[in-house]
């Protein structure tokens, strides 16, 4: 199969030539008769993106110096008071992420130990050790317990942490400081959280240190990453380019003694700036009193101000109702739009809700992604030759529609595939005129689409498109295509560069429109980690195919279970 590269908006796409002979079929045959036994597949945890409310604060927990000296830190020898302030911040913002720098940990009675006790058992806490510039030692001084470093606390279970020293060694050997980055993966979250501390001053090693931080995040290019910390310089500093070129930023303002902007939140563009719901700098907890020997008590608890950011959650693919379980929409023969709420096992809660009372006959509908940036999965419909975006109100009902395209043939197929181009925004794929077209989502003009790009040259007229989400488990959206003439179901794997790979068989025979009139990607509706399908039968039943693996480990259509016993012959389309 030839692939002709096209470059648009920095993303390399490809024209897929379908004239090549089909690949050898390896999937097991699918019989016309379906099993009648209803059984719930075992459910596995599904990752989602909850609303992240994060606090980052350099608490100068180990700094030295008396009042009037450059190294002075308020309440240095009162770890309980500093930790009390962190807990108050958590309560005020209902935070679920805390990032701390210059904090003592790894010992009973340390800042981190005290914080974990105050936060409670729902929280997981991690600490990474760094060493001082002056002596290369990590122990906290003057009676403070534990070791110096950075810390992460999350309201949830941490599955994995990564940490490394990012500061290169001093060639002269005089400076023995080490400064870590600490990252954590949280069970059930797509958002990975990280914190770090960049060296102060004009040290020549800082550029490489910041590059090391960016490289540590590089392994997470296909996931959400939130990075917070003390960067000891403004974001527009030349040394910060490795981060500012590859990441977006949420915080701007004074964070250090009202003179500098040193502390920042960065996030990968998979998160998207549209998910920043709120940010703040809490100057009330920053010491702004004159630092003189006779100045008296400080008016804050650190020389830095805590910074706060709220990131809206991203919907679970396929979830219209906001409960973390993929749902299905359908157009019936009376021209109404129905919503079927998923249980998380491929079945539905019973019955359906009408979310569109009329005018849907002949429409093509699809849902897979948040086009408006409000954290809810939206619905796109092709009605006649026009494309309409219906924003989700959060419970599956639809708001006022917005026209996002026109001029399509009235029999065009559309599927919202997810983020195919890697810009953090969902994209639409359409089939018409015997070709396949990509309509990239436009992050700069939500919820609209960029101009179409041809990505399939010919041979698409007999194809039925559906979007399973990530069928292969590699973090990229895929495309499922039913070839009506042969009855074979083909999988087109998403590629890291935003293209589709050569097709491979997903379901052999039996998928022709006579046996399976309608198909819809279930987006891992049973939460077993593999994308699955719903399909109707000529007898009028609805089947759920729990995605499976063949002997080579490739995804295939799995075992079929009846999840709707009658009446499905009255449905015109599924999504």
């Amino acid at each position: 199969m030839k692939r002709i590269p096209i470059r648009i908006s920095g993303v390399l796409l490809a024209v897929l030539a379908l004239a090549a002979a089909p690949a050898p079929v390896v999937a097991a045959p699918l019989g016309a008769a379906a099993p009648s036994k209803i059984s719930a597949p075992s459910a596995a945890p599904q990752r989602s993106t909850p609303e992240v409310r994060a606090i980052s604060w350099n608490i100068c927990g180990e700094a030295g110096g008396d009042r009037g000296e450059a190294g002075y830190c308020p309440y240095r020898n009162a770890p309980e008071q500093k930790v009390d302030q962190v807990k108050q911040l958590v309560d005020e913002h209902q935070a679920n992420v805390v990032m701390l720098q210059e904090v003592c940990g790894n010992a009973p009675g340390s800042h981190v130990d005290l914080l974990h006790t105050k936060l409670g058992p729902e929280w997981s806490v991690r600490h990474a050790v760094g060493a001082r510039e002056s002596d290369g030692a990590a122990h906290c001084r003057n009676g403070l317990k534990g070791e110096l470093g950075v810390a992460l606390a999350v309201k949830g279970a941490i599955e994995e942490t990564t940490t490394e020293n990012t500061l290169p060694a001093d060639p002269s050997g005089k400076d023995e400081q080490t400064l870590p980055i600490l990252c954590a993966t949280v069970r059930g979250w797509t958002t990975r959280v990280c914190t770090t501390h960049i060296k102060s001053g004009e040290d020549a090693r800082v550029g490489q240190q910041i590059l090391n931080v960016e490289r540590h995040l590089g392994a997470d290019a296909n996931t959400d990453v939130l990075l917070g910390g003390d960067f000891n310089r403004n974001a527009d500093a030349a040394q910060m380019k490795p981060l500012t070129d590859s990441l977006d930023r949420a915080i701007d303002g004074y964070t250090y003694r009202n003179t500098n902007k040193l502390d920042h939140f960065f996030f990968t563009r998979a998160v998207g700036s549209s998910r920043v719901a709120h940010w703040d700098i809490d100057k009330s907890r920053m010491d702004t009193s004159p630092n003189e020997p006779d100045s008296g008590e400080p008016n804050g608890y650190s020389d830095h101000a805590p910074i706060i950011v709220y990131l809206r959650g991203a919907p679970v693919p396929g979830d219209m109702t906001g409960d973390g379980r993929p749902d299905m929409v359908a157009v019936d023969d009376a021209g109404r739009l129905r919503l079927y709420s998923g249980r998380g096992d491929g079945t539905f809660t019973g019955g359906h809700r009408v979310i569109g009372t009329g005018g849907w006959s002949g429409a093509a509908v699809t849902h897979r992604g948040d086009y408006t940036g409000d954290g809810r999965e939206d619905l796109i419909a092709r009605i006649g030759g026009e494309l309409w975006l219906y924003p989700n109100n959060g419970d599956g009902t639809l708001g006022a529609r917005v026209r996002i395209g026109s001029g399509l043939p009235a029999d065009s197929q559309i599927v919202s595939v997810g983020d195919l181009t890697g810009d953090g925004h969902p994209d639409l794929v359409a089939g018409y005129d015997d070709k396949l077209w990509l309509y990239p989502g436009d992050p700069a003009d939500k919820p609209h689409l960029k101009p179409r790009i041809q990505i399939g040259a010919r041979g698409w007229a007999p194809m039925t498109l559906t979007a399973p989400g990530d069928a292969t488990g590699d973090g990229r959206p895929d495309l499922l295509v039913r070839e009506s003439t042969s009855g074979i179901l083909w999988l087109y794997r998403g590629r890291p560069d935003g293209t589709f790979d050569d097709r491979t068989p997903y379901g052999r025979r039996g998928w022709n429109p006579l046996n399976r009139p309608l198909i819809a990607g279930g987006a891992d509706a049973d939460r077993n980690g593999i994308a699955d399908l719903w399909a109707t039968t000529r007898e009028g039943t609805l089947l759920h195919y729990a995605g499976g693996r063949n002997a080579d480990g490739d995804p295939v259509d799995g075992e079929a279970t009846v999840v709707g016993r009658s009446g499905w012959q009255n449905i015109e389309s599924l999504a």
Side-chain angles (χ1 to χ4, degrees), residues 54-57 228-229 251 255 263-265 280-282 305-309:
I55 296 164
S56 179
W57 195 9
I251 296 295
T255 61
D263 302 85
H264 309 289
F265 276 117
D280 194 14
I281 300 170
D282 185 353
I307 58 175
I308 300 100
V309 68

Side-chain angles (χ1 to χ4, degrees), residues 53-59 86 89 95 97-101 150-152 194-197 226-231 251 255 262-266 280-282 304-309:
R53 295 187 169 209
I55 296 164
S56 179
W57 195 9
N58 182 330
I59 63 171
V86 176
L89 271 167
V97 176
V98 176
M99 306 175 180
L100 300 177
Q101 305 85 45
V150 298
L152 275 174
C194 302
T195 189
T196 194
H197 191 176
L226 176 65
L227 169 68
D230 177 4
F231 295 84
I251 296 295
T255 61
L262 305 182
D263 302 85
H264 309 289
F265 276 117
F266 292 95
D280 194 14
I281 300 170
D282 185 353
H304 287 250
I307 58 175
I308 300 100
V309 68

Side-chain angles (χ1 to χ4, degrees), residues 461-487:
M463 303 297 186
T464 304
L465 311 180
T466 190
D470 177 16
T472 58
D474 61 3
R476 295 182 287 273
D478 304 308
L479 185 69
L480 280 178
V481 175
R482 189 255 303 277
E483 188 172 21
S484 300
T485 53
S486 67

Side-chain angles (χ1 to χ4, degrees), residues 350-396:
H352 64 271
R353 284 190 288 156
V354 174
I355 58 173
T357 56
W360 294 88
S361 185
V365 295
T366 184
H367 61 104
R368 184 81 75 251
D370 174 17
Y371 287 81
T372 59
D374 63 0
R376 302 162 180 170
E377 178 154 294
D378 303 308
L379 183 136
I380 293 179
R382 192 266 309 139
I383 301 176
E386 295 182 320
L387 287 176
W388 296 91
L389 185 285
Y390 290 81
N392 187 350
N393 292 326
D395 58 358

Side-chain angles (χ1 to χ4, degrees), residues 58 62 92 188 220 231 250 301 327 344 377 392 407 430 531 559:
N58 182 330
E62 200 269 346
E92 290 168 12
D220 302 298
F231 295 84
Y301 292 85
D327 308 307
E377 178 154 294
N392 187 350
E559 179 181 355

Side-chain angles (χ1 to χ4, degrees), residues 265-476:
F265 276 117
F266 292 95
F267 44 89
T268 52
R269 300 204 166 112
V271 175
S273 59
S274 64
R275 282 182 50 201
V276 178
H278 170 79
W279 64 263
D280 194 14
I281 300 170
D282 185 353
K283 295 184 181 179
S284 71
R285 290 177 164 89
M286 176 172 60
D287 179 25
T288 59
S289 63
N291 185 25
E292 303 294 340
D294 57 354
S295 293
E297 290 297 315
N299 61 6
Y301 292 85
S302 173
D303 50 7
H304 287 250
I307 58 175
I308 300 100
V309 68
Y310 300 173
L311 296 178
R312 294 184 183 93
V316 169
D319 175 24
M320 291 287 291
T321 59
D323 62 359
R325 302 179 178 94
D327 308 307
M328 185 174 71
V329 295
V331 176
D332 64 23
D333 57 4
R336 295 170 301 196
L337 185 66
R338 301 180 178 186
L339 173 64
Y340 293 84
S341 297
R343 285 196 180 104
D345 59 3
T347 67
F348 305 105
T349 57
H352 64 271
R353 284 190 288 156
V354 174
I355 58 173
T357 56
W360 294 88
S361 185
V365 295
T366 184
H367 61 104
R368 184 81 75 251
D370 174 17
Y371 287 81
T372 59
D374 63 0
R376 302 162 180 170
E377 178 154 294
D378 303 308
L379 183 136
I380 293 179
R382 192 266 309 139
I383 301 176
E386 295 182 320
L387 287 176
W388 296 91
L389 185 285
Y390 290 81
N392 187 350
N393 292 326
D395 58 358
T397 61
L398 304 176
R401 68 182 186 175
V402 179
R403 190 171 71 172
I404 59 173
S406 61
L408 282 74
D411 61 350
S412 304
Q413 299 181 64
I414 59 169
V415 286
S416 181
V417 294
D419 181 16
L420 184 63
T421 57
D423 62 359
H425 202 65
D427 306 305
L428 187 76
V429 168
Y432 58 86
D433 294 342
D434 201 34
K435 300 178 180 66
L436 194 68
W437 306 89
L438 172 68
Y439 290 78
D442 190 350
D445 188 22
K446 293 182 285 290
H448 295 282
L449 305 171
K450 296 178 182 179
R452 69 178 187 177
I453 306 150
Q454 183 180 324
I455 58 172
R458 61 186 178 275
W460 290 91
M463 303 297 186
T464 304
L465 311 180
T466 190
D470 177 16
T472 58
D474 61 3
R476 295 182 287 273

Side-chain angles (χ1 to χ4, degrees), residues 120-318:
E122 292 181 296
W123 287 72
S124 301
V125 181
R126 299 291 185 271
H127 181 265
V129 177
R132 283 184 297 274
E133 175 182 359
S134 57
D135 58 6
H139 67 276
C140 289
R141 300 168 294 182
N142 297 343
L144 290 174
K145 306 291 182 60
E147 297 174 294
L148 181 63
V150 298
L152 275 174
V154 298
K155 194 174 184 179
I158 291 179
E159 292 182 325
E160 179 187 26
T161 57
T162 60
T163 185
E164 67 170 310
N165 170 42
T166 58
L167 183 63
D170 179 11
S172 70
K174 296 178 180 178
D175 181 353
E176 300 181 69
Q177 187 174 21
T178 59
L179 291 165
I181 182 172
L182 172 64
C183 295
T185 301
V186 186
R187 183 177 302 161
W189 294 17
T190 57
T191 304
R192 184 170 172 82
V193 292
C194 302
T195 189
T196 194
H197 191 176
I198 302 300
K199 186 173 180 60
S200 62
E202 297 304 317
D203 193 298
R205 295 172 291 162
V206 167
Q208 183 60 50
Q209 184 192 5
I210 292 174
L211 184 60
N212 290 341
V213 169
E214 192 272 335
R215 287 173 176 171
H216 191 91
L217 302 178
D220 302 298
N222 292 315
T223 63
D224 298 352
V225 179
L226 176 65
L227 169 68
D230 177 4
F231 295 84
N232 265 309
R233 52 202 29 85
N234 296 342
D236 57 3
Q239 296 157 316
M240 295 287 281
K241 281 185 66 63
L243 292 176
T244 56
D245 284 352
S246 61
L247 304 172
D248 288 332
R249 186 170 62 98
I251 296 295
D252 194 14
Y254 298 124
T255 61
Y256 179 72
R257 291 183 173 167
N258 276 344
T259 58
N260 297 294
K261 296 173 283 188
L262 305 182
D263 302 85
H264 309 289
F265 276 117
F266 292 95
F267 44 89
T268 52
R269 300 204 166 112
V271 175
S273 59
S274 64
R275 282 182 50 201
V276 178
H278 170 79
W279 64 263
D280 194 14
I281 300 170
D282 185 353
K283 295 184 181 179
S284 71
R285 290 177 164 89
M286 176 172 60
D287 179 25
T288 59
S289 63
N291 185 25
E292 303 294 340
D294 57 354
S295 293
E297 290 297 315
N299 61 6
Y301 292 85
S302 173
D303 50 7
H304 287 250
I307 58 175
I308 300 100
V309 68
Y310 300 173
L311 296 178
R312 294 184 183 93
V316 169

